[in-house]
Amino acid sequence: MLNEYDPFNAYKQTALDAQVAAATPHDMVRMLLDGLLEELERATGHMEYQRFEAKGVSIHKCLNIVHGLDSMLDLENGGEVAISLHRLYDFCSRQLVSASVENSAEALVPITQVITNVREGWANLN
């Protein structure tokens, strides 16, 4: 269990805050995609070890990240890429809820694959 008063956690949060403050929009998306992939790994572990409360927290974080990524899209000016990403994020949201309800780590695999592909594509834009 994480201790919010742990000096190491405070240091990590300060370092993250500094990264976010200096990030470009491109960096922010990359950071969100990386964070989502990390949280999907945690959610998988929680499901496998039947840690239901922790699983719920992880799934909630994943949903928040996916919704954040989706909200950053410019659907009016982003063309087919923005529309495709919107559809992928919608799929991920629905799949996250389904995986949580079913407590199925296997149901997280397609999400991880989609986000990994998006992350790789995003990295190639640099």
Side-chain angles (χ1 to χ4, degrees), residues 2-52:
L2 289 177
N3 178 353
E4 63 186 79
Y5 302 107
D6 178 8
F8 182 68
N9 285 332
Y11 171 78
K12 285 190 334 188
Q13 185 60 48
T14 301
L16 179 62
D17 291 346
Q19 280 182 317
V20 169
T24 66
H26 187 276
D27 291 336
M28 283 292 296
V29 171
R30 182 187 45 76
M31 290 169 61
L32 287 170
L33 292 168
D34 288 345
L36 179 54
L37 289 169
E38 291 172 12
E39 199 59 46
L40 284 166
E41 282 186 45
R42 277 190 281 283
T44 298
H46 295 318
M47 288 177 176
E48 290 172 352
Y49 290 99
Q50 306 287 311
R51 294 186 297 248
F52 300 116

Side-chain angles (χ1 to χ4, degrees), residues 11-92:
Y11 171 78
K12 285 190 334 188
Q13 185 60 48
T14 301
L16 179 62
D17 291 346
Q19 280 182 317
V20 169
T24 66
H26 187 276
D27 291 336
M28 283 292 296
V29 171
R30 182 187 45 76
M31 290 169 61
L32 287 170
L33 292 168
D34 288 345
L36 179 54
L37 289 169
E38 291 172 12
E39 199 59 46
L40 284 166
E41 282 186 45
R42 277 190 281 283
T44 298
H46 295 318
M47 288 177 176
E48 290 172 352
Y49 290 99
Q50 306 287 311
R51 294 186 297 248
F52 300 116
E53 186 176 338
K55 173 206 72 172
V57 171
S58 279
I59 293 294
H60 183 72
K61 287 179 183 179
C62 289
L63 284 166
N64 282 341
I65 295 170
V66 170
H67 293 148
L69 288 163
D70 191 53
S71 72
M72 296 172 78
L73 296 174
D74 183 353
L75 295 175
E76 290 182 24
N77 301 311
E80 189 58 37
V81 172
I83 292 169
S84 293
L85 285 170
H86 174 69
R87 289 181 184 140
L88 288 173
Y89 295 149
D90 181 59
F91 163 78
C92 290

